[in-house]
Amino acid sequence: MNIEEFEKQVQPRAKRSKLEPFKVQIFELKQKGYTNLQVSDWLASNGMHVSSEAVRKFIKTREGKEENTAAPGFGHDQETKPDSQKQTTQKGKAGSFEIPIPKKFVHNNRPDDDQLK
């Protein structure tokens, strides 16, 4: 049998986690503060025996897809300011204080006579 015949007879198996049917319940338990071990115990009581590490990996691969994606650094209750309302800072200033510019060190082999007095 060549590959074309095989492809006609057999459909590829979709990669789907066996935890997928419990996805809503897993996220609900985690949102309520249950640990991965407690979630895996609950799954075992429902006939699905998996490790707490399997629960952790399942959540990790799906948690970004569960929540609406906001801009980095902004929570759901924060609003972004339009560019016209953003506070601008001038170069060399931090807030209302000026940042001191360090003096450049110049090495003189011979000190000034005034400095020696």
Side-chain angles (χ1 to χ4, degrees), residues 28-96:
E28 185 178 331
L29 289 169
K30 287 301 291 181
Q31 185 179 11
K32 291 179 179 179
Y34 288 91
T35 66
N36 293 342
L37 183 60
Q38 291 171 316
V39 173
S40 68
D41 289 343
W42 177 81
L43 289 165
S45 70
N46 286 287
M48 181 62 59
H49 298 280
V50 295
S51 67
S52 60
E53 180 65 10
V55 172
R56 184 192 70 79
K57 287 180 181 179
F58 178 80
I59 292 168
K60 182 178 180 184
T61 58
R62 286 159 181 81
E63 68 185 343
K65 298 173 187 173
E66 286 298 306
E67 301 170 335
N68 57 358
T69 53
F74 293 98
H76 66 281
D77 59 343
Q78 295 175 335
E79 296 179 14
T80 59
K81 293 181 181 178
D83 289 337
S84 61
Q85 291 181 356
K86 289 183 181 176
Q87 182 180 6
T88 58
T89 56
Q90 295 178 357
K91 187 176 180 179
K93 291 198 173 206
S96 61

Side-chain angles (χ1 to χ4, degrees), residues 4-22:
E4 287 84 17
E5 292 172 357
F6 178 78
E7 288 175 342
K8 288 178 185 176
Q9 292 178 2
V10 180
Q11 292 295 320
R13 192 179 99 181
K15 290 187 176 183
R16 183 173 175 221
S17 171
K18 60 183 180 178
L19 295 177
E20 200 66 40
F22 299 98

